[in-house]
Amino acid sequence: MSTGTAPRPSASRRGPRTRDSIAFLREFIRHPGRIGAIAPSGRALAAAMVRGIDFRSVRAVVEFGPGTGVFTRAVLDAMPHDWLDPRQSGRVGNGRGRFIAIEFNTKMAAAVRSQYPEALVVNDDAANVEGICRREGIEPGTVDAIISGLAWTSIPEQPRRRILEATHRVLKPGGEFRTFTYQASMLVRSAWIFRRLLRDTFSEVHVGRVVWANMPPAFVYRCVK
Ligand SMILES: C[S@@+](CC[C@H](N)C(=O)[O-])C[C@H]1O[C@@H](n2cnc3c(N)ncnc32)[C@H](O)[C@@H]1O
């Protein structure tokens, strides 16, 4: 995938707002294992997550775990005005692009759906990505990119493996899986096990530069099928 996407203006969206951070923290207190972070990612990390994806040449993009929608917004900002298929739940756009966000937490799914009506937000488990895509008319093996906000170190090994295997199956050959890890988590063994799992699953795994502006600092894995 190459760079050069025409940016999509978003005058009214100004980064993760205080309200989002409070909502996020509240859900973290309720479901710490599922949420896996006490605050939403920052805009710099969101920009790194979508950098280099040319939306003019892709047809289907999926997001895992949008939370308060930081990466959702980055995807929507990066896509050209006319990229989205208008049949996508009657959303704006006149192109052929499909964008599905899969969020496990019911409250967060509802909040991100109302904040970003252009995205098709599904309240489900990322492990079910194949069925979700099929239901939306996207055949497994044809998805161009998957952007993941999941906190992998807090997901047990079996579900992790299931999600990654399903991810690999839905991506097209050469399709990209983007995910992030906190720099500090590399002190923990499970973060290295996760890196190994990525390398075992994908043909290429590129480790991005640390985004120090994010709190806590994090880096992006760009994995190619
Ligand atoms: C660490 S938060 C990240 C939220 C946001 N993408 C960000 O970077 O700020 C992880 C999100 O993934 C969701 N999540 C956790 N497990 C999931 C799963 N199996 N399928 C879909 N969403 C999941 C959580 O509810 C939470 O909203």
Side-chain angles (χ1 to χ4, degrees), residues 120-225:
L120 179 64
V121 182
V122 180
N123 183 202
D124 205 331
D125 189 326
N128 299 327
V129 60
E130 286 169 288
I132 295 165
C133 284
R134 222 181 249 118
R135 229 169 35 231
E136 290 303 319
I138 302 167
E139 279 309 304
T142 64
V143 171
D144 297 275
I146 298 185
I147 311 295
S148 170
L150 303 186
W152 295 101
T153 47
S154 63
I155 300 178
E157 199 187 331
Q158 284 311 314
R160 250 191 212 194
R161 211 176 264 281
R162 270 202 305 278
I163 296 171
L164 281 183
E165 285 168 0
T167 296
H168 190 265
R169 284 193 297 269
V170 293
L171 280 172
K172 69 176 190 186
E176 287 192 13
F177 174 61
R178 306 265 183 110
T179 189
F180 76 95
T181 291
Y182 298 123
Q183 166 77 345
S185 77
M186 296 315 289
L187 296 169
V188 178
R189 190 168 160 265
S190 69
W192 291 96
I193 295 174
F194 178 63
R195 182 177 287 190
R196 162 82 67 85
L197 190 55
L198 288 178
R199 294 213 152 112
D200 289 347
T201 309
F202 293 92
S203 7
E204 288 172 40
V205 175
H206 304 273
V207 181
R209 289 201 185 134
V210 175
V211 180
W212 294 103
N214 195 67
M215 213 37 74
F219 60 85
V220 176
Y221 285 116
R222 188 169 71 79
C223 311
V224 184
K225 177 169 174 178

Side-chain angles (χ1 to χ4, degrees), residues 16 24 27 31 33-42 45-46 49 63-72 101-106 108-109 122-128 147-152 154-155 159 163 180 182 214:
F24 195 95
E27 289 309 301
H31 315 280
R34 275 282 179 189
I35 305 294
I38 60 162
S41 301
L45 181 61
M49 288 292 285
E63 179 184 3
F64 291 163
T68 56
V70 183
F71 297 166
T72 317
I102 306 171
E103 170 56 57
F104 191 83
N105 182 292
T106 306
M108 285 185 160
V122 180
N123 183 202
D124 205 331
D125 189 326
N128 299 327
I147 311 295
S148 170
L150 303 186
W152 295 101
S154 63
I155 300 178
I163 296 171
F180 76 95
Y182 298 123
N214 195 67

Side-chain angles (χ1 to χ4, degrees), residues 6-9 79-84 92-94:
R8 189 173 182 279
M79 62 176 63
H81 287 293
D82 57 356
W83 186 79
L84 274 175
V92 294
N94 53 17

